[in-house]
Amino acid sequence: MPYLHHDGADLFFTAEGEGPAVLLLHGWTCDSHDFLFQTPLLLEAGYRVIALDQRGHGRSTAPNMPGGYEPEVLAADAIALLKHLDAAPAVVIGHSMGTIVASVMSIQHPEVVRALVLIECSYLFPSAAAAQIYETLQGDDAPEVAAATLAAVFYTPDTPAWIKTWHRRTTLAVPPHVVREAFAHIREGRPGYQDQTVELLRQRQKPRLAVYQAEESTRIERELGLEGVDEIKVIEGGSHWPHLQKPKEFNEILIAWLDQAGLLPVKN
């Protein structure tokens, strides 16, 4: 069965292919379907592709416990899955909330991470805006409010209707307590992800590719500095989901960077 029981949650995952592992970590109120355009590409490249529905999202269960959706908890889930599958170290590809989880993994457990691919990093989300959004999520209508927020803030005029429909449906399926608590790590200005972002994130000693939808969003990422094969790319007009809205452009960037970083599997 494609479920792992860990720390009170039944975590849905898929693991396909053979070779070095890639772990896919989706964003807030989404699920692993967001990587459908990348999964076939990575399988063809020779990776073992592991896609996780993080606790409370998608097909994974949603325990209601204090602190149950902090980044460290989500990172512990991901690490447990990699160890369960004997798949560490892995290239970890995270989107939005998933970039925080991936960063926690690489800082606290660097042995499980080969490299980081970070899409629209939410550890750079303005804290004032996060606080304002968080205050709207306090009622039982939190999924509906979150869906409206996504529609109002996170898309571009060119975002196709199917993406908006997709995310509205996945968001409405997330329980209210998960919507709130999974967003709380942004609202709270957690150490290392707001006021101390730059200092803590410099502890990530892994090759990284960071992809954004606009150059102005890359400021703090650039403050972190680039070493070796580290790279920052911008996909203009790609919305908060460049890997979904502009998959061809994103996939070309991804494969080129993996090749440059010496991370592509060697095919026989």
Side-chain angles (χ1 to χ4, degrees):
M1 292 291 290
Y3 282 90
L4 172 68
H5 184 78
H6 182 254
D7 193 21
D10 292 320
L11 305 171
F12 175 81
F13 69 92
T14 57
E16 305 173 76
E18 299 179 356
V22 171
L23 174 66
L24 305 175
L25 297 174
H26 62 80
W28 177 62
T29 75
C30 295
D31 62 30
S32 55
H33 283 94
D34 276 11
F35 292 103
L36 284 182
F37 286 116
Q38 285 68 57
T39 298
L41 174 84
L42 293 166
L43 288 171
E44 176 63 25
Y47 288 102
R48 184 184 186 189
V49 182
I50 302 165
L52 171 65
D53 283 358
Q54 300 193 71
R55 63 172 56 214
H57 297 74
R59 290 160 179 78
S60 294
T61 58
N64 195 349
M65 61 181 71
Y69 297 88
E70 294 180 352
E72 291 79 5
V73 174
L74 302 181
D77 286 341
I79 292 167
L81 178 60
L82 289 177
K83 291 182 177 180
H84 171 71
L85 296 172
D86 193 22
V91 174
V92 182
I93 301 179
H95 169 248
S96 193
M97 181 183 77
T99 66
I100 295 181
V101 179
S103 295
V104 171
M105 293 173 67
S106 68
I107 293 168
Q108 297 186 352
H109 297 275
E111 73 280 1
V112 305
V113 178
R114 290 182 71 199
L116 296 166
V117 178
L118 307 167
I119 310 165
E120 280 284 292
C121 302
S122 64
Y123 52 69
L124 306 180
F125 199 88
S127 56
Q132 185 176 9
I133 292 173
Y134 182 76
E135 290 306 312
T136 70
L137 302 175
Q138 301 310 304
D140 290 339
D141 63 344
E144 290 83 358
V145 173
T149 300
L150 293 179
V153 177
F154 292 98
Y155 300 119
T156 67
D158 296 329
T159 301
W162 67 265
I163 291 181
K164 297 177 182 179
T165 300
W166 181 338
H167 288 146
R168 176 171 173 77
R169 290 175 57 82
T170 57
T171 298
L172 292 179
V174 178
H177 72 278
V178 177
V179 172
R180 279 190 297 277
E181 293 184 37
F183 194 85
H185 64 272
I186 300 173
R187 191 270 308 182
E188 292 173 356
R190 298 177 56 77
Y193 304 111
Q194 289 296 332
D195 297 337
Q196 301 172 31
T197 294
V198 172
E199 291 309 311
L200 188 68
L201 292 179
R202 283 200 176 112
Q203 296 178 29
R204 301 177 303 184
Q205 300 299 312
K206 300 293 177 180
R208 86 182 191 278
L209 167 66
V211 180
Y212 289 89
Q213 66 165 317
E215 179 60 37
E216 56 264 28
S217 300
T218 69
R219 180 182 62 82
I220 297 179
E221 195 74 55
R222 294 190 185 281
E223 281 185 32
L224 294 169
L226 301 174
E227 297 183 4
V229 297
D230 292 352
E231 195 166 358
I232 297 171
K233 288 289 190 178
V234 175
I235 299 179
E236 294 287 351
S239 82
H240 190 54
W241 287 266
H243 54 309
L244 267 181
Q245 186 161 334
K246 294 196 172 183
K248 183 175 185 294
E249 188 173 347
F250 177 85
N251 285 355
E252 289 173 352
I253 289 170
L254 175 62
I255 289 297
W257 183 79
L258 290 169
D259 187 20
Q260 176 189 349
L263 295 167
L264 277 180
V266 176
K267 294 186 177 181
N268 295 327

